[in-house]
Amino acid sequence: MTTVGSPAGAVRRPGTTTSAYPRHLAGRLGGAAVSLFAVLVTSFFLFRIIPGDPVKAMTHGMPTSAAQMATLRKQFGLDLPLWQQFTDYCAKALTGDLGMSYQFRAPVGELIAQKLPATLLLTGVAVVLYSALGLWLGTRTAWRHGGLGDRLHTGVALTLWSVPSFWLGLLLIIVFSVGVGPVPGMFPTGGMESGGETGLAYVLDVAHHMVLPVLTLVAVGYAQTLLVMRASLLDEMGGDYLTTARAKGLRDDLVRRRHAVPNALLPTVTMIFINLGHVAAGSILVETVFSWPGLGGLFYQALSVPDLPLVQGLFVVFAGAMIVMNLLADLLYPLLDPRVGR
């Protein structure tokens, strides 16, 4: 019989393992709910401090009387006290109603649904490419750290990570769209399609327009993934368990793939899921530079008015996607490392 003070007595009591993950799940779900409420509060009050009168912006250049201005303010609920505007906004948002756009005179949800496919296409392709490239190169450079390849890849990654994405996009447009010296202009300067194409020709046309914006996002994104994966793997390479694995006669390639890389994935998994959250947001600056008809360009248009319901709705979608992806990463951790959540 095991005594309390014996080493065996320190073993987990029955039911501890089975109850640990539900508590972990409940805690993460509660945190996500609090974060979503904080997003609603922030999205309402943050954009109220933007200078400018939405009604004046909508009627700019048009003869409008004071009575008409008052009617518009009442129509959009801008004449109500701020606290009442906030409660109405929260009540509608919880039911999926993000309001009516001031400038487009259309439901915000419909406008987001129209632009979302273009953003998912652009940023989805970019995230897949730079995640795969960054993980592969980050693993290789860390495992052969100190060599010429490591120094070269790390230097390039540090340079690209520090470059503003909009500046890199403009540079690519100048070189590969306009043309510089012997380099001819090969790609469109912006947009998603030329128009008039159908079938396979349409697919190729869209792919042709995607090359430069995707290249811009991949160049910055792969650099971040490479550096995070490299740092995580370097932290693991001094572990005793790797020495034990080598002592058992495992090949160096197997030690890397089966032991070192899985243990180095946790920080990188977090970053990949955060990047997946960015898929909904796209890249506002890159989409604006390349005139890509997605949510980033729509957000820029909404800020210029300011179109408060549209700005708030987009902010909620962007932040909500990030919260959901972080939640999924937290729920995946115990599967990668059983010590998490116990």
Side-chain angles (χ1 to χ4, degrees), residues 145-222:
H145 65 282
L148 177 61
D150 177 34
R151 293 197 299 270
L152 178 63
H153 285 298
T154 303
V156 172
L158 285 170
T159 302
L160 290 175
W161 198 7
S162 62
V163 170
S165 58
F166 72 90
W167 183 85
L168 181 60
L170 290 172
L171 187 63
L172 291 177
I173 289 175
I174 293 172
V175 175
F176 296 107
S177 294
V178 179
V180 174
V183 180
M186 297 176 287
F187 300 100
T189 57
M192 182 176 174
E193 56 180 293
S194 301
E197 304 290 352
T198 58
L200 180 60
Y202 173 76
V203 174
L204 295 175
D205 183 41
V206 172
H208 189 221
H209 283 75
M210 286 178 60
V211 171
L212 292 185
V214 166
L215 182 59
T216 303
L217 293 172
V218 168
V220 178
Y222 110 89

Side-chain angles (χ1 to χ4, degrees), residues 8-34:
V11 177
R12 295 185 304 271
R13 294 187 300 275
T16 301
T17 303
T18 57
S19 62
Y21 189 75
R23 289 198 303 269
H24 175 74
L25 175 62
R28 294 299 181 268
L29 289 174
V34 172

Side-chain angles (χ1 to χ4, degrees), residues 6 20 31 41 64 84 112 116 138 187 189 193 200 209 221 244 251 268-269 274 288 297 299 317 329 338:
S6 65
V41 175
T64 310
Q84 189 172 348
I112 293 175
L116 183 60
F187 300 100
T189 57
E193 56 180 293
L200 180 60
H209 283 75
T244 304
R251 298 196 313 272
T268 314
V269 164
I274 289 175
T288 302
F299 188 74
V317 170

Side-chain angles (χ1 to χ4, degrees), residues 53-60 68-70 72-73 76 78 102:
D53 186 341
V55 174
K56 288 183 179 179
M58 284 186 292
T59 58
H60 180 70
Q68 290 173 322
M69 297 279 283
L72 286 174
R73 286 194 174 88
F76 292 115
L78 296 174
Y102 294 162

